[in-house]
Structure formats: C-alpha cells, structure tokens
Amino acid sequence: METTTEVPVESSAGGFTPQVIGGCVLAVWILFSNIVLMLAILRSEHRRKVSFNLHVCNLCLAGLLMGGLVLPLLIDFHFQNQWIHGDNLCRIWIMADMMVATVSVLVLVAIIFDRFVLFSCPDAAEGCCKFVLSAALIVFPWTLGAATVLPLYLIGETGEGVREDEGVCFLHLDKTFAIIAEIACYGVPSLVALALLVATSLTWCYKREDLRDMDFSEEREHKGWQVLTSWVISLTVISMWFPFCALHLLTQIFNTTWSHEWWTAAIWLAYANSGLNPILWMIMPRLRQSVKALCCCCCTKDYDEDDYFDDETSAAMIEFAEK
C-alpha cells in the first residue's frame, strides 16, 4: 500500500504558471522577512540575551529553510513540469519539507516551555541555568525533528516517489508510516504546544504582579505581550498546516481521494506560513521597534535602544497591562 503526500504536477503545462509566479514572490518574501527579523534581533546586545528572542530566530531559521531550499525546488518542479535534479537531491528536498513542518511546531513547544519555566521559576532567567536551558531548547526542535523525520522517511519510504527516469519526485510512504508521520510530526507536538500555552497563560495570570518586577532585567520585555504573541503564532502555525495534514491523514485512514485543487491549496497555505510569521511577530512592541531601527538606520553611537523605552513602546505596554 503506497500513499502520496504531494501529488505530481503532470497535468500542469509548465512554464510561468500562476503557481510558479506566486511561488517566486512567496519565496523572496520569506527570505527577506525572516532575514530582516533575525538581523533586527541579533544586532542588538540586549535582544540576544532574551531567550524568547532566540527562539524567534529559531523559527525564522526554519522559515529560511523553506524559502531557500524547499520552495525554489518546488517552483522549478512546476516550471519544468518534471524533476530534473536527480535522486539524491529529490530525497533531500522531501526530507527538508518534512523537517520544516515538524521543526516549526516543535519550536512552538520550545518557546512556550521556555516561558512556562520563566514564569514558574523566575530565577531560571538569570545565571548559567538560563543559558543551559536556552541552548537545550534551541537545539531541541532540530534534534527531535531529525530523530523523528529521518527514521520515518528512510524506513517508510516506498521508493515509488523517486523515479528519476520519469522525472517524478514526491513523497510516498507506506500507509502505516504515513499515519505515524502525521501523528508524530504534527498531531502530538501541536497538542503539547496548546496544553503548554494554557498552562503558561494560567501561570502568568496567577503570578502577574510578581513578574512585573522582572521588566527591567534581561528578560524585561513585558510578559503579557509574550503570552499574547505566543497564542497568535501558535494558532497560526497549527491552523495553516492543519488542512494539509488533515487531508493526508484522512486519505490514509479512509482511503479517500481529494481533488488536485484541494491538495494544491493546502500545500501552498502551509508554505505561506513561513512568510506570515515574521509579520505576526510585529505584535510585540520591542521587536517592532528593533525592525524599525534596522530598516530606517535609526541607530547611532549616541543612542542605544536597549537602554531606553520610547514613548510609543511604554504606552503600549501600559495599555496592555491595564487590560
């Protein structure tokens, strides 16, 4: 029994189709927006010391993998109407596609768990404990993602999706492995992320007054914005990947078939998430301020944005705290 998660594009005429043009625009935007956000964070000494921001960079890194490797090869696949890059690159492309989806959700788990630990035990935000925890949580999504994706693909891949002589490259997994892949790579991490979100939100509400005393430490970004943004980003990532994962899972369980248009819409919706995330991070005033400083070249030697809360940011924080 063989299954497909990405259908071939044999019915397409190739050339500059709407999918090719739209894919090019999306790939450029993903690369640009994620690079800008990463630079805005990493150029600031204070931003680099806030573990929450490092996890934001981790999610941007997954986005760069999408925009720099997965999408360009998919665009070329549609443009050529066949796969022309050989068997090895085909397998790398497929595994990179699976890794992006898996790592994106696991990064959410790492972000939320980091905030849960901080809210539950504020001392974890200082000293060696903070750096050890941050380093472990940054590596965690990629390590667990690789440990999940590689065995599932290497053992469960039937070989039917890689036919170099026929110009075909798409994912075929044995039915059992296809179901396990959706549960292990998407279902379980999503449920864990949502459960941690609820626990973190309740902890923040309970210890809200105590956490305000930390607003001028290295973790001084207002905790309410972090909780709110975590909800928005998590729900967005999970919901945008849900149609693709749901269609695939239902296909395996009920042996149903879906139209090419449904698969196409679900795939591009999932890929578009990597371009939407950098925009949603702008909910946080301090990240928005950092991006503005980077884009407008506002930073001078006599002015350090890390040592000064501008009126707009302070007002936004006070307004949110009063809600």
Side-chain angles (χ1 to χ4, degrees), residues 37-57 115 130 217-222 226 284-291 293 303-310 313 317:
L37 183 55
M38 289 185 70
L39 290 177
I41 292 173
L42 297 178
R43 68 185 284 272
S44 168
E45 182 179 358
H46 168 65
R47 294 288 172 271
R48 294 194 300 269
K49 293 181 179 179
V50 179
S51 59
F52 186 88
N53 294 335
L54 297 180
H55 296 303
V56 174
C57 290
R115 294 302 90 181
K130 168 190 172 180
S217 68
E218 288 182 349
E219 295 285 348
R220 68 188 180 189
E221 179 74 72
H222 197 282
Q226 295 175 348
M284 297 187 64
R286 296 297 285 169
L287 288 183
R288 187 167 64 246
Q289 183 187 42
S290 296
V291 171
Y303 171 75
D304 185 358
E305 64 170 346
D306 295 332
D307 297 329
Y308 179 73
F309 284 94
D310 64 10
T313 305
M317 289 184 174

CSV table of all heavy atoms in Angstrom, one decimal, residues 37-57 115 130 217-222 226 284-291 293 303-310 313 317:
chain,number,residue,atom,x,y,z
A,37,LEU,N,14.1,40.1,10.3
A,37,LEU,CA,13.7,39.9,11.7
A,37,LEU,C,14.9,39.3,12.5
A,37,LEU,O,15.2,39.7,13.6
A,37,LEU,CB,12.5,38.9,11.8
A,37,LEU,CG,12.0,38.7,13.2
A,37,LEU,CD1,11.7,40.0,13.9
A,37,LEU,CD2,10.8,37.8,13.2
A,38,MET,N,15.6,38.4,11.9
A,38,MET,CA,16.8,37.8,12.6
A,38,MET,C,17.9,38.9,12.8
A,38,MET,O,18.5,38.9,13.9
A,38,MET,CB,17.4,36.6,11.8
A,38,MET,CG,16.5,35.4,11.8
A,38,MET,SD,17.3,34.0,10.9
A,38,MET,CE,18.6,33.6,12.1
A,39,LEU,N,18.1,39.7,11.8
A,39,LEU,CA,19.2,40.7,11.9
A,39,LEU,C,18.7,41.8,12.9
A,39,LEU,O,19.6,42.3,13.7
A,39,LEU,CB,19.4,41.4,10.6
A,39,LEU,CG,20.1,40.6,9.5
A,39,LEU,CD1,20.2,41.4,8.2
A,39,LEU,CD2,21.5,40.2,10.0
A,40,ALA,N,17.5,42.1,13.0
A,40,ALA,CA,17.0,43.1,13.9
A,40,ALA,C,17.2,42.6,15.4
A,40,ALA,O,17.4,43.4,16.3
A,40,ALA,CB,15.5,43.3,13.7
A,41,ILE,N,17.1,41.3,15.6
A,41,ILE,CA,17.3,40.7,16.9
A,41,ILE,C,18.7,40.6,17.2
A,41,ILE,O,19.2,41.0,18.3
A,41,ILE,CB,16.6,39.4,17.0
A,41,ILE,CG1,15.0,39.5,17.0
A,41,ILE,CG2,17.0,38.6,18.3
A,41,ILE,CD1,14.2,38.2,16.9
A,42,LEU,N,19.5,40.0,16.3
A,42,LEU,CA,20.9,39.6,16.6
A,42,LEU,C,21.8,40.9,16.6
A,42,LEU,O,22.9,40.8,17.3
A,42,LEU,CB,21.4,38.7,15.5
A,42,LEU,CG,20.7,37.3,15.5
A,42,LEU,CD1,21.2,36.4,14.4
A,42,LEU,CD2,20.8,36.6,16.9
A,43,ARG,N,21.4,42.0,16.0
A,43,ARG,CA,22.3,43.2,16.0
A,43,ARG,C,22.2,43.9,17.4
A,43,ARG,O,23.1,44.7,17.7
A,43,ARG,CB,21.8,44.2,15.0
A,43,ARG,CG,20.5,44.8,15.2
A,43,ARG,CD,20.0,45.7,14.1
A,43,ARG,NE,20.7,46.9,14.1
A,43,ARG,CZ,20.3,48.0,14.8
A,43,ARG,NH1,19.2,47.9,15.5
A,43,ARG,NH2,21.0,49.1,14.7
A,44,SER,N,21.2,43.5,18.2
A,44,SER,CA,21.1,44.2,19.5
A,44,SER,C,21.6,43.3,20.6
A,44,SER,O,21.2,42.1,20.7
A,44,SER,CB,19.6,44.5,19.7
A,44,SER,OG,19.4,44.9,21.1
A,45,GLU,N,22.5,43.8,21.4
A,45,GLU,CA,23.1,43.0,22.5
A,45,GLU,C,22.0,42.6,23.5
A,45,GLU,O,22.0,41.4,24.0
A,45,GLU,CB,24.1,43.8,23.3
A,45,GLU,CG,24.8,43.1,24.4
A,45,GLU,CD,25.9,43.9,25.1
A,45,GLU,OE1,26.1,45.0,24.7
A,45,GLU,OE2,26.5,43.4,26.0
A,46,HIS,N,21.1,43.5,23.8
A,46,HIS,CA,20.0,43.1,24.7
A,46,HIS,C,19.1,42.0,24.1
A,46,HIS,O,18.7,41.1,24.8
A,46,HIS,CB,19.2,44.3,25.1
A,46,HIS,CG,17.9,43.9,25.8
A,46,HIS,ND1,17.9,43.3,27.1
A,46,HIS,CD2,16.6,44.1,25.5
A,46,HIS,CE1,16.6,43.1,27.4
A,46,HIS,NE2,15.8,43.5,26.5
A,47,ARG,N,18.7,42.2,22.9
A,47,ARG,CA,17.9,41.2,22.2
A,47,ARG,C,18.5,39.8,22.3
A,47,ARG,O,17.8,38.8,22.4
A,47,ARG,CB,17.6,41.6,20.8
A,47,ARG,CG,16.8,42.9,20.6
A,47,ARG,CD,15.3,42.7,21.0
A,47,ARG,NE,14.7,44.0,21.1
A,47,ARG,CZ,14.6,44.8,22.1
A,47,ARG,NH1,15.2,44.4,23.3
A,47,ARG,NH2,14.0,45.9,22.0
A,48,ARG,N,19.8,39.7,22.1
A,48,ARG,CA,20.4,38.4,22.1
A,48,ARG,C,20.4,37.8,23.4
A,48,ARG,O,20.6,36.6,23.5
A,48,ARG,CB,21.9,38.6,21.6
A,48,ARG,CG,22.0,39.1,20.1
A,48,ARG,CD,23.5,38.9,19.6
A,48,ARG,NE,24.4,39.6,20.4
A,48,ARG,CZ,24.8,40.8,20.1
A,48,ARG,NH1,24.3,41.5,19.1
A,48,ARG,NH2,25.7,41.5,20.9
A,49,LYS,N,20.3,38.6,24.5
A,49,LYS,CA,20.3,38.0,25.8
A,49,LYS,C,18.9,37.5,26.3
A,49,LYS,O,18.8,36.9,27.3
A,49,LYS,CB,20.8,39.1,26.8
A,49,LYS,CG,22.3,39.4,26.6
A,49,LYS,CD,22.7,40.4,27.6
A,49,LYS,CE,24.2,40.8,27.5
A,49,LYS,NZ,24.7,41.8,28.4
A,50,VAL,N,17.9,37.8,25.5
A,50,VAL,CA,16.5,37.4,25.9
A,50,VAL,C,16.2,36.1,25.2
A,50,VAL,O,16.2,36.0,23.9
A,50,VAL,CB,15.5,38.5,25.4
A,50,VAL,CG1,14.1,38.0,25.8
A,50,VAL,CG2,15.8,39.8,26.1
A,51,SER,N,16.1,35.0,25.9
A,51,SER,CA,15.9,33.7,25.3
A,51,SER,C,14.7,33.6,24.4
A,51,SER,O,14.7,32.9,23.4
A,51,SER,CB,15.8,32.7,26.5
A,51,SER,OG,14.7,32.9,27.3
A,52,PHE,N,13.6,34.3,24.7
A,52,PHE,CA,12.4,34.3,23.9
A,52,PHE,C,12.8,34.8,22.5
A,52,PHE,O,12.3,34.2,21.5
A,52,PHE,CB,11.4,35.3,24.5
A,52,PHE,CG,10.1,35.3,23.8
A,52,PHE,CD1,9.1,34.3,24.2
A,52,PHE,CD2,9.8,36.1,22.7
A,52,PHE,CE1,7.9,34.3,23.5
A,52,PHE,CE2,8.6,36.1,22.1
A,52,PHE,CZ,7.6,35.2,22.5
A,53,ASN,N,13.6,35.8,22.3
A,53,ASN,CA,14.0,36.3,21.0
A,53,ASN,C,14.9,35.3,20.3
A,53,ASN,O,14.8,35.2,19.0
A,53,ASN,CB,14.8,37.6,21.1
A,53,ASN,CG,13.9,38.7,21.7
A,53,ASN,OD1,12.7,38.7,21.5
A,53,ASN,ND2,14.5,39.7,22.3
A,54,LEU,N,15.7,34.5,21.0
A,54,LEU,CA,16.5,33.5,20.3
A,54,LEU,C,15.6,32.4,19.7
A,54,LEU,O,15.9,31.8,18.6
A,54,LEU,CB,17.5,32.9,21.3
A,54,LEU,CG,18.5,33.8,21.9
A,54,LEU,CD1,19.4,33.1,22.8
A,54,LEU,CD2,19.3,34.5,20.8
A,55,HIS,N,14.5,32.1,20.4
A,55,HIS,CA,13.5,31.1,19.8
A,55,HIS,C,12.8,31.7,18.6
A,55,HIS,O,12.5,30.9,17.7
A,55,HIS,CB,12.5,30.7,20.9
A,55,HIS,CG,13.2,30.0,22.0
A,55,HIS,ND1,13.9,28.8,21.9
A,55,HIS,CD2,13.1,30.2,23.4
A,55,HIS,CE1,14.3,28.4,23.1
A,55,HIS,NE2,13.9,29.2,24.0
A,56,VAL,N,12.6,33.0,18.6
A,56,VAL,CA,12.0,33.6,17.4
A,56,VAL,C,13.0,33.4,16.2
A,56,VAL,O,12.6,33.1,15.1
A,56,VAL,CB,11.8,35.1,17.7
A,56,VAL,CG1,11.4,35.8,16.4
A,56,VAL,CG2,10.8,35.3,18.8
A,57,CYS,N,14.3,33.6,16.5
A,57,CYS,CA,15.3,33.4,15.4
A,57,CYS,C,15.3,31.9,15.0
A,57,CYS,O,15.5,31.6,13.8
A,57,CYS,CB,16.7,33.8,15.9
A,57,CYS,SG,16.9,35.5,16.2
A,115,ARG,N,8.9,30.0,28.3
A,115,ARG,CA,8.1,31.0,29.1
A,115,ARG,C,7.5,30.4,30.3
A,115,ARG,O,7.4,31.0,31.4
A,115,ARG,CB,7.0,31.6,28.2
A,115,ARG,CG,7.5,32.4,27.0
A,115,ARG,CD,8.4,33.6,27.5
A,115,ARG,NE,9.8,33.3,27.6
A,115,ARG,CZ,10.8,34.1,28.0
A,115,ARG,NH1,10.5,35.3,28.3
A,115,ARG,NH2,12.0,33.7,28.0
A,130,LYS,N,20.0,29.8,32.9
A,130,LYS,CA,19.3,30.4,31.8
A,130,LYS,C,20.0,30.0,30.4
A,130,LYS,O,19.3,29.6,29.5
A,130,LYS,CB,19.3,31.9,31.9
A,130,LYS,CG,18.9,32.6,30.6
A,130,LYS,CD,19.1,34.1,30.7
A,130,LYS,CE,18.9,34.8,29.4
A,130,LYS,NZ,19.2,36.2,29.4
A,217,SER,N,15.0,43.6,34.0
A,217,SER,CA,16.1,42.6,33.9
A,217,SER,C,16.4,42.3,32.5
A,217,SER,O,15.8,43.0,31.6
A,217,SER,CB,15.7,41.3,34.7
A,217,SER,OG,14.7,40.6,34.0
A,218,GLU,N,17.2,41.3,32.2
A,218,GLU,CA,17.5,41.0,30.8
A,218,GLU,C,16.2,40.5,30.1
A,218,GLU,O,16.1,40.5,28.9
A,218,GLU,CB,18.6,39.9,30.7
A,218,GLU,CG,20.0,40.5,31.1
A,218,GLU,CD,21.0,39.4,31.0
A,218,GLU,OE1,20.7,38.3,30.8
A,218,GLU,OE2,22.2,39.8,31.0
A,219,GLU,N,15.3,40.0,30.9
A,219,GLU,CA,14.0,39.5,30.4
A,219,GLU,C,12.9,40.5,30.5
A,219,GLU,O,11.8,40.2,30.8
A,219,GLU,CB,13.6,38.2,31.1
A,219,GLU,CG,14.6,37.0,30.8
A,219,GLU,CD,14.4,36.4,29.5
A,219,GLU,OE1,13.4,36.7,28.8
A,219,GLU,OE2,15.3,35.6,29.1
A,220,ARG,N,13.2,41.8,30.3
A,220,ARG,CA,12.3,42.9,30.7
A,220,ARG,C,11.2,43.0,29.7
A,220,ARG,O,10.2,43.8,30.0
A,220,ARG,CB,13.1,44.2,30.8
A,220,ARG,CG,13.6,44.7,29.4
A,220,ARG,CD,14.5,45.9,29.7
A,220,ARG,NE,15.0,46.4,28.4
A,220,ARG,CZ,16.0,47.4,28.3
A,220,ARG,NH1,16.5,47.9,29.4
A,220,ARG,NH2,16.4,47.8,27.2
A,221,GLU,N,11.2,42.4,28.5
A,221,GLU,CA,10.0,42.5,27.6
A,221,GLU,C,8.8,42.1,28.4
A,221,GLU,O,8.7,41.1,29.1
A,221,GLU,CB,10.3,41.6,26.4
A,221,GLU,CG,9.1,41.6,25.4
A,221,GLU,CD,9.1,42.9,24.6
A,221,GLU,OE1,10.0,43.0,23.8
A,221,GLU,OE2,8.2,43.7,24.9
A,222,HIS,N,7.7,42.9,28.3
A,222,HIS,CA,6.5,42.7,29.0
A,222,HIS,C,6.0,41.3,28.8
A,222,HIS,O,5.8,40.9,27.6
A,222,HIS,CB,5.5,43.7,28.6
A,222,HIS,CG,4.4,43.8,29.6
A,222,HIS,ND1,3.3,42.9,29.7
A,222,HIS,CD2,4.1,44.7,30.7
A,222,HIS,CE1,2.5,43.2,30.7
A,222,HIS,NE2,3.0,44.3,31.3
A,226,GLN,N,4.4,38.6,25.4
A,226,GLN,CA,5.0,37.3,25.0
A,226,GLN,C,3.9,36.3,25.0
A,226,GLN,O,3.8,35.4,24.1
A,226,GLN,CB,6.1,37.0,26.0
A,226,GLN,CG,7.3,37.9,25.9
A,226,GLN,CD,8.3,37.6,26.9
A,226,GLN,OE1,8.1,36.8,27.9
A,226,GLN,NE2,9.5,38.1,26.8
A,284,MET,N,4.6,42.3,19.0
A,284,MET,CA,5.4,42.7,20.1
A,284,MET,C,6.1,44.1,19.9
A,284,MET,O,6.8,44.2,18.9
A,284,MET,CB,6.5,41.6,20.4
A,284,MET,CG,5.9,40.3,20.8
A,284,MET,SD,7.2,39.1,21.3
A,284,MET,CE,7.8,39.9,22.8
A,285,PRO,N,5.8,45.1,20.7
A,285,PRO,CA,6.4,46.4,20.5
A,285,PRO,C,7.9,46.5,20.4
A,285,PRO,O,8.4,47.2,19.6
A,285,PRO,CB,5.9,47.2,21.8
A,285,PRO,CG,4.7,46.5,22.2
A,285,PRO,CD,5.0,45.0,21.9
A,286,ARG,N,8.6,45.7,21.2
A,286,ARG,CA,10.1,45.8,21.2
A,286,ARG,C,10.6,45.2,19.9
A,286,ARG,O,11.6,45.7,19.4
A,286,ARG,CB,10.7,45.1,22.4
A,286,ARG,CG,10.3,45.7,23.8
A,286,ARG,CD,10.8,47.1,23.9
A,286,ARG,NE,12.3,47.1,24.1
A,286,ARG,CZ,13.0,48.2,24.0
A,286,ARG,NH1,12.5,49.4,23.7
A,286,ARG,NH2,14.3,48.2,24.3
A,287,LEU,N,10.1,44.1,19.4
A,287,LEU,CA,10.5,43.6,18.1
A,287,LEU,C,10.2,44.5,17.0
A,287,LEU,O,11.0,44.7,16.1
A,287,LEU,CB,9.9,42.2,17.9
A,287,LEU,CG,10.4,41.0,18.8
A,287,LEU,CD1,9.7,39.7,18.4
A,287,LEU,CD2,11.9,40.9,18.7
A,288,ARG,N,9.0,45.1,17.1
A,288,ARG,CA,8.6,46.1,16.0
A,288,ARG,C,9.6,47.3,16.0
A,288,ARG,O,10.0,47.8,15.0
A,288,ARG,CB,7.2,46.5,16.3
A,288,ARG,CG,6.6,47.4,15.2
A,288,ARG,CD,5.1,47.6,15.3
A,288,ARG,NE,4.7,48.3,16.6
A,288,ARG,CZ,4.1,47.7,17.6
A,288,ARG,NH1,3.7,46.4,17.5
A,288,ARG,NH2,3.7,48.4,18.6
A,289,GLN,N,10.0,47.7,17.2
A,289,GLN,CA,10.9,48.8,17.4
A,289,GLN,C,12.3,48.4,16.8
A,289,GLN,O,12.9,49.2,16.1
A,289,GLN,CB,11.0,49.2,18.8
A,289,GLN,CG,11.9,50.4,19.1
A,289,GLN,CD,12.1,50.6,20.5
A,289,GLN,OE1,12.4,49.7,21.3
A,289,GLN,NE2,12.1,51.9,21.0
A,290,SER,N,12.7,47.2,17.0
A,290,SER,CA,14.0,46.8,16.5
A,290,SER,C,14.0,46.7,15.0
A,290,SER,O,15.0,47.1,14.4
A,290,SER,CB,14.4,45.4,17.1
A,290,SER,OG,14.5,45.5,18.5
A,291,VAL,N,13.0,46.2,14.4
A,291,VAL,CA,12.9,46.1,13.0
A,291,VAL,C,12.9,47.5,12.4
A,291,VAL,O,13.5,47.8,11.4
A,291,VAL,CB,11.7,45.3,12.6
A,291,VAL,CG1,11.5,45.4,11.0
A,291,VAL,CG2,11.8,43.8,13.0
A,293,ALA,N,14.2,50.2,13.6
A,293,ALA,CA,15.5,50.8,13.8
A,293,ALA,C,16.5,50.2,12.7
A,293,ALA,O,17.3,50.9,12.1
A,293,ALA,CB,16.1,50.5,15.2
A,303,TYR,N,23.0,56.6,20.8
A,303,TYR,CA,21.7,56.2,21.2
A,303,TYR,C,21.7,54.7,21.2
A,303,TYR,O,22.0,54.1,20.2
A,303,TYR,CB,20.6,56.8,20.3
A,303,TYR,CG,19.3,56.2,20.5
A,303,TYR,CD1,18.5,56.5,21.6
A,303,TYR,CD2,18.8,55.2,19.6
A,303,TYR,CE1,17.3,56.0,21.8
A,303,TYR,CE2,17.5,54.7,19.8
A,303,TYR,CZ,16.8,55.1,20.9
A,303,TYR,OH,15.5,54.5,21.1
A,304,ASP,N,21.3,54.1,22.3
A,304,ASP,CA,21.2,52.6,22.3
A,304,ASP,C,19.7,52.3,22.7
A,304,ASP,O,19.3,52.6,23.8
A,304,ASP,CB,22.1,52.1,23.4
A,304,ASP,CG,22.1,50.6,23.4
A,304,ASP,OD1,21.3,50.0,22.7
A,304,ASP,OD2,22.9,50.0,24.2
A,305,GLU,N,19.0,51.7,21.8
A,305,GLU,CA,17.6,51.4,22.0
A,305,GLU,C,17.4,50.4,23.2
A,305,GLU,O,16.4,50.3,23.8
A,305,GLU,CB,17.0,50.8,20.8
A,305,GLU,CG,17.5,49.4,20.4
A,305,GLU,CD,16.7,48.7,19.3
A,305,GLU,OE1,15.6,49.2,19.1
A,305,GLU,OE2,17.2,47.8,18.8
A,306,ASP,N,18.4,49.7,23.6
A,306,ASP,CA,18.3,48.7,24.7
A,306,ASP,C,18.2,49.4,26.0
A,306,ASP,O,17.8,48.9,27.0
A,306,ASP,CB,19.5,47.8,24.7
A,306,ASP,CG,19.5,46.9,23.5
A,306,ASP,OD1,18.4,46.7,22.9
A,306,ASP,OD2,20.6,46.5,23.1
A,307,ASP,N,18.7,50.6,26.1
A,307,ASP,CA,18.7,51.4,27.4
A,307,ASP,C,17.6,52.3,27.5
A,307,ASP,O,17.5,53.1,28.5
A,307,ASP,CB,20.0,52.1,27.5
A,307,ASP,CG,21.2,51.2,27.6
A,307,ASP,OD1,21.0,50.0,28.1
A,307,ASP,OD2,22.3,51.5,27.1
A,308,TYR,N,16.7,52.3,26.5
A,308,TYR,CA,15.6,53.4,26.6
A,308,TYR,C,14.4,52.8,26.0
A,308,TYR,O,14.3,52.3,24.9
A,308,TYR,CB,16.1,54.6,25.7
A,308,TYR,CG,15.1,55.7,25.7
A,308,TYR,CD1,14.8,56.5,26.8
A,308,TYR,CD2,14.4,55.9,24.5
A,308,TYR,CE1,13.9,57.5,26.7
A,308,TYR,CE2,13.5,56.9,24.4
A,308,TYR,CZ,13.2,57.7,25.5
A,308,TYR,OH,12.3,58.7,25.4
A,309,PHE,N,13.3,52.9,26.7
A,309,PHE,CA,11.9,52.6,26.2
A,309,PHE,C,11.3,53.8,25.6
A,309,PHE,O,11.1,54.8,26.3
A,309,PHE,CB,11.0,52.1,27.3
A,309,PHE,CG,11.3,50.7,27.8
A,309,PHE,CD1,12.2,50.4,28.8
A,309,PHE,CD2,10.8,49.6,27.1
A,309,PHE,CE1,12.4,49.1,29.2
A,309,PHE,CE2,11.0,48.3,27.5
A,309,PHE,CZ,11.9,48.1,28.6
A,310,ASP,N,11.1,53.9,24.3
A,310,ASP,CA,10.4,55.1,23.7
A,310,ASP,C,9.0,55.2,24.2
A,310,ASP,O,8.4,54.3,24.7
A,310,ASP,CB,10.6,55.1,22.2
A,310,ASP,CG,9.8,53.9,21.6
A,310,ASP,OD1,9.0,53.3,22.3
A,310,ASP,OD2,10.0,53.7,20.3
A,313,THR,N,6.4,52.6,22.8
A,313,THR,CA,6.5,51.2,23.4
A,313,THR,C,6.0,51.2,24.9
A,313,THR,O,5.3,50.3,25.3
A,313,THR,CB,8.0,50.8,23.4
A,313,THR,OG1,8.4,50.8,22.1
A,313,THR,CG2,8.1,49.4,23.9
A,317,MET,N,2.8,49.1,26.4
A,317,MET,CA,2.9,48.1,27.5
A,317,MET,C,2.0,48.5,28.6
A,317,MET,O,1.3,47.6,29.2
A,317,MET,CB,4.4,48.1,28.0
A,317,MET,CG,5.4,47.5,27.0
A,317,MET,SD,7.0,47.4,27.8
A,317,MET,CE,7.8,46.4,26.5
